[in-house]
Amino acid sequence: MGGVTPFSFFSEFDINLFKGGNHYRLYEKFGSHITTVDGIEGTYFAVWAPAAKSVSVIGDFNFWVEGEHQLNVRWDKSGIWEGFIPGVGKGNVYKYKIHSNENDIKTEKADPYARRCEHPPKTASVVWDDDYAWEDKEWMQKRKRHNASDAPYSVYEVHLGSWKKRIEENRSLSYTELSDELVAYVKEMQFTHVELMPIMEYPYDPSWGYQLTGYFAPTSRFGYPEEFKLLIDKLHQNDIGIILDWVPSHFPEDAHGLGFFDGTCLYEHPDKRKGYHPDWKSLIFNYERNEVKSFLISNAIFWLDQYHADGLRVDAVASMLFLDYSRDEGEWEPNIYGGRENLAAIAFMKELNIEVYSSFPDVQTIAEESTSFPMVSKPTYSGGLGFGMKWMMGWMHDTLQYFAKEPIYRRHHQNDLTFSMTYAFTENFMLPLSHDEVVYGKRSIIGRMPGDEWQRFANLRLLYSYMFTHPGTNLLFMGAEFGQHDEWDFQKSLDWHLLQYDYHKGIKEIITDLNILYKNNPALYEQQFSNSGFEWISYDDHDNSVIAYIRKGNKDENPLIVACNFTPVPRTNYRIGLPRQGKLVELFSSDDSKYGGSGMSTEKELVIEQKDWHYRSYSIEITIPPLGAVVFSIE
């Protein structure tokens, strides 16, 4: 095997874009790329290490000896080291040995742009390419319709390692197995999208994937990169979109990772007040550095481009927005205007969303953001951050707090339910019941419900019915769709055996039917982000703990009427005001006996009366079952 041949993928234009922070396809240049130079097959390597005095590629092809394959530094002060190594090919394992000008420090680093990584606990990068032939052309051509803000958007959140395990073999399912089993299950459940907790390579299982070291490599825990593409392809072939969790907020200090990369704070901010996260014991990206900004935006584009992802759920946005996030007084420095906002991070997020939506107008970016920072999901041209949606954390907190109360006390807390409508249309909100709500002693969702067994399951059915008919899109974490009793444990499979019991089967069936109801009724999705799509009928009946509301689509003549009873006392002959005459037809009841309910319901079809009620000229008497929700159409 020869030494390093001078060679480059970079043009002068590439370098200028990179240094200016405007190169958003860096994965086409950096990393390891199998290629042919002067008729010789080998691999081109490129890495950014501006503080280095030398950079060697060490690997299984040179006995991990420093200096055998030393890269060449570019002459343009870009800090890029590059070169072609003949004979190195697919499957070869490597790292970069970096000798720093800073105190003569030496580091051994995995390739930040590697397309594949060794299976943890091993930490090296793997030379890789694949010629995967996508078969999702039909989905890609029509996905704009499926991912639109006025389309049904119901998300099943999944941690691949613990969704389902081969118990007898003590292992998780592979990407290939998931492409059959997960895809079939999500299709059966009628979800429109799957969201995967981070699948980029990560060293530490208890981090759930939120401490990344391989930003451009799907984790090797479940198979090869092309097998992950197969999973996505199969989802698309079954009309299911895929959202990937993405973590541009922080990264771990593992020796082979991005931290202290070339003996200096290269990717992380050098000021600990901006560069270290005290909660997660991790490093924070330096959003003020152009090359780092290009790295992150290129990474977002990579998953949309190379893996056909339909969206990115951006983790921990609040931690990026504020300089004082999780810091005491004196532990942070105000911005140039004296405020607490991280201006560089805000500029980065705006630039990210501009580039994503410019290149992929048919995807969504979703912010996991828990504060009242304004205009997170508003366009950048109007001063917003430019995300497509934002998690509605206030709704989640208030609603779970309300449902945890014994029904007898709920009359005093109805505002916990109705308050969300005072701000529901300030953002494009997604209603999340995510993995964060079923860990660390919070209990499972069913575990929070009060009462005896029947009441707990009735409460859960009511919660989901309220959630699916509330304005906004929806997200449900795996296991919640069949009433998992235990908190989520990343080391264990979901408790699939519970589906032998009728109440758990009933929860699974009601989620399926709610997804169908949502997808089949434009009144629930066409104006899910607009106040034109919602109207209260009654929100102040505290004594009966009843609320009723109207959901409307673009055509006013096809509204849905929703009524919820949050007590175990049936509300018979309960009169509600209605917008017009016609027949009231029951479409759905959470108390249906097939779900494990009592089977109490209104007559299937009732004639609306011309009688004033709730400030309307028309009204009707209905039955709202105990701890139940009913949905009607007007025909």
Side-chain angles (χ1 to χ4, degrees):
M1 181 179 291
V4 175
T5 303
F7 184 74
S8 182
F9 274 4
F10 288 91
S11 67
E12 185 179 349
F13 184 58
D14 286 322
I15 297 300
N16 289 334
L17 285 177
F18 175 54
K19 290 161 79 171
N22 301 309
H23 202 310
Y24 305 137
R25 301 293 190 281
L26 290 177
Y27 53 89
E28 296 175 351
K29 310 293 178 177
F30 280 111
S32 57
H33 297 269
I34 298 170
T35 189
T36 301
V37 176
D38 297 332
I40 300 172
E41 294 183 355
T43 298
Y44 164 75
F45 293 89
V47 64
W48 180 50
K53 66 170 65 171
S54 69
V55 177
S56 295
V57 183
I58 58 174
D60 58 358
F61 46 86
N62 62 15
F63 303 102
W64 303 91
V65 175
E66 180 185 2
E68 287 288 308
H69 293 97
Q70 188 167 304
L71 299 179
N72 305 303
V73 66
R74 290 184 63 91
W75 63 92
D76 49 23
K77 297 183 180 179
S78 62
I80 297 171
W81 298 73
E82 61 184 349
F84 173 78
I85 304 179
V88 173
K90 185 173 180 177
N92 278 129
V93 180
Y94 70 100
K95 281 186 177 180
Y96 294 117
K97 185 82 171 187
I98 302 171
H99 190 177
S100 179
N101 275 311
E102 189 74 22
N103 298 321
D104 242 19
I105 292 169
K106 288 191 176 183
T107 60
E108 280 189 13
K109 294 293 184 179
D111 188 343
Y113 291 86
R115 302 295 181 91
R116 184 181 162 211
C117 301
E118 284 189 301
H119 193 300
K122 293 182 178 179
T123 58
S125 304
V126 183
V127 176
W128 204 255
D129 69 358
D130 68 74
D131 54 358
Y132 183 81
W134 289 91
E135 297 181 14
D136 63 347
K137 182 178 179 182
E138 184 181 344
W139 167 268
M140 296 298 283
Q141 289 176 337
K142 69 182 181 182
R143 72 173 179 176
K144 185 172 185 176
R145 186 167 78 244
H146 291 280
N147 293 332
S149 60
D150 60 353
Y153 209 93
S154 179
V155 181
Y156 185 55
E157 186 189 22
V158 177
H159 177 263
L160 288 185
S162 58
W163 179 70
K164 185 183 288 186
K165 287 180 178 280
R166 292 281 183 263
I167 305 297
E168 65 282 359
E169 301 173 40
N170 191 31
R171 67 171 179 86
S172 303
L173 299 187
S174 67
Y175 291 130
T176 304
E177 290 167 329
L178 288 160
S179 71
D180 291 326
E181 297 192 35
L182 178 62
V183 172
Y185 182 74
V186 174
K187 187 174 185 178
E188 175 196 354
M189 296 297 298
Q190 296 286 326
F191 286 99
T192 66
H193 291 73
V194 170
E195 179 181 317
L196 300 184
M197 291 169 67
I199 51 80
M200 300 81 182
E201 194 60 83
Y202 57 98
Y204 187 50
D205 284 350
S207 78
W208 311 335
Y210 289 99
Q211 299 270 8
L212 306 181
T213 50
Y215 271 77
F216 291 83
T219 179
S220 55
R221 288 167 173 81
F222 314 118
Y224 297 109
E226 53 268 39
E227 292 172 332
F228 181 51
K229 290 181 179 178
L230 173 68
L231 170 57
I232 295 174
D233 207 350
K234 286 287 186 69
L235 286 165
H236 284 169
Q237 290 171 40
N238 285 276
D239 283 342
I240 301 165
I242 182 164
I243 305 158
L244 300 180
D245 265 17
W246 186 57
V247 191
S249 48
H250 64 114
F251 57 93
E253 294 184 282
D254 294 61
H256 67 290
L258 296 177
F260 213 54
F261 191 80
D262 61 354
T264 68
C265 295
L266 189 62
Y267 288 90
E268 67 271 33
H269 199 287
D271 185 341
K272 285 286 187 182
R273 294 174 295 181
K274 294 181 181 179
Y276 184 75
H277 201 296
D279 284 355
W280 302 322
K281 306 291 189 292
S282 55
L283 303 173
I284 300 171
F285 283 104
N286 184 357
Y287 308 108
E288 298 168 19
R289 191 159 192 168
N290 285 341
E291 297 90 343
V292 173
K293 186 174 61 173
S294 280
F295 168 82
L296 287 171
I297 297 178
S298 291
N299 185 239
I301 296 298
F302 171 80
W303 294 103
L304 301 170
D305 174 25
Q306 298 290 299
Y307 282 84
H308 292 197
D310 299 290
L312 299 171
R313 176 267 195 185
V314 183
D315 182 62
V317 170
S319 74
M320 301 164 66
L321 286 174
F322 297 106
L323 297 164
D324 64 344
Y325 184 88
S326 198
R327 297 179 192 275
D328 295 327
E329 192 174 342
E331 294 179 347
W332 62 282
E333 183 180 41
N335 62 36
I336 56 173
Y337 303 110
R340 53 195 283 259
E341 297 80 14
N342 188 331
L343 301 179
I346 290 169
F348 157 71
M349 281 185 267
K350 289 182 177 182
E351 197 167 326
L352 163 74
N353 284 312
I354 289 170
E355 178 58 26
V356 166
Y357 283 109
S358 296
S359 299
F360 301 94
D362 50 358
V363 305
Q364 291 284 354
T365 59
I366 305 166
E368 189 252 327
E369 204 281 315
S370 55
T371 74
S372 57
F373 190 91
M375 302 180 70
V376 171
S377 59
K378 301 302 179 185
T380 55
Y381 60 74
S382 62
L385 292 184
F387 287 95
M389 297 182 217
K390 170 183 169 173
W391 275 19
M392 198 175 190
M393 308 296 277
W395 171 90
M396 175 276 299
H397 178 270
D398 291 346
T399 301
L400 290 180
Q401 184 172 272
Y402 177 87
F403 269 87
K405 291 179 169 63
E406 292 286 348
I408 194 171
Y409 302 118
R410 289 177 177 173
R411 61 190 298 182
H412 305 296
H413 300 277
Q414 190 142 317
N415 186 56
D416 286 350
L417 284 181
T418 59
F419 181 67
S420 64
M421 295 312 306
T422 65
Y423 64 94
F425 307 110
T426 58
E427 301 277 4
N428 295 345
F429 279 120
M430 172 178 279
L431 279 57
L433 293 178
S434 74
H435 66 275
D436 278 329
E437 310 321 315
V438 292
V439 290
Y440 300 143
K442 295 177 184 175
R443 295 175 292 173
S444 63
I445 303 297
I446 184 70
R448 297 169 187 235
M449 302 296 116
D452 59 23
E453 185 179 46
W454 189 91
Q455 288 194 16
R456 285 190 294 115
F457 279 91
N459 268 305
L460 189 61
R461 295 192 299 269
L462 174 57
L463 166 62
Y464 291 155
S465 303
Y466 166 63
M467 173 183 182
F468 273 77
T469 57
H470 188 288
T473 58
N474 310 296
L475 176 139
L476 199 62
F477 183 57
M478 63 182 201
E481 83 281 6
F482 60 79
Q484 166 105 3
H485 276 306
D486 293 341
E487 279 193 343
W488 171 55
D489 183 342
F490 73 92
Q491 300 178 85
K492 291 170 52 182
S493 174
L494 294 181
D495 292 333
W496 295 102
H497 65 276
L498 292 175
L499 285 170
Q500 65 186 299
Y501 304 111
D502 288 343
Y503 280 142
H504 293 278
K505 281 193 290 190
I507 297 298
K508 180 173 178 284
E509 190 163 352
I510 200 172
I511 290 296
T512 303
D513 286 355
L514 283 167
N515 274 323
I516 294 171
L517 180 76
Y518 178 40
K519 291 197 287 188
N520 288 350
N521 288 277
L524 291 177
Y525 61 79
E526 284 184 341
Q527 299 202 65
Q528 57 196 350
F529 299 136
S530 168
N531 58 10
S532 300
F534 178 89
E535 188 179 329
W536 280 116
I537 294 174
S538 171
Y539 59 85
D540 56 358
D541 187 359
H542 302 264
D543 289 340
N544 289 309
S545 295
V546 168
I547 60 172
Y549 45 91
I550 305 171
R551 291 298 310 277
K552 296 179 284 186
N554 294 333
K555 297 180 180 178
D556 246 5
E557 64 266 25
N558 297 314
L560 292 187
I561 309 301
V562 184
C564 301
N565 172 15
F566 297 96
T567 75
V569 180
R571 304 301 175 191
T572 56
N573 305 121
Y574 191 92
R575 186 168 289 275
I576 57 172
L578 292 175
R580 62 178 175 83
Q581 283 186 304
K583 292 180 180 178
L584 197 69
V585 179
E586 184 178 284
L587 299 181
F588 168 87
S589 170
S590 68
D591 191 51
D592 196 307
S593 55
K594 69 178 178 177
Y595 307 137
S598 66
M600 180 180 291
S601 68
T602 306
E603 291 179 39
K604 288 299 179 186
E605 191 175 291
L606 292 171
V607 177
I608 298 170
E609 304 171 53
Q610 187 167 355
K611 181 175 182 178
D612 289 355
W613 207 261
H614 288 143
Y615 306 103
R616 290 175 173 83
S617 300
Y618 307 99
S619 63
I620 202 165
E621 286 186 348
I622 61 172
T623 295
I624 315 177
L627 295 173
V630 280
V631 180
F632 304 94
S633 63
I634 299 179
E635 298 179 0

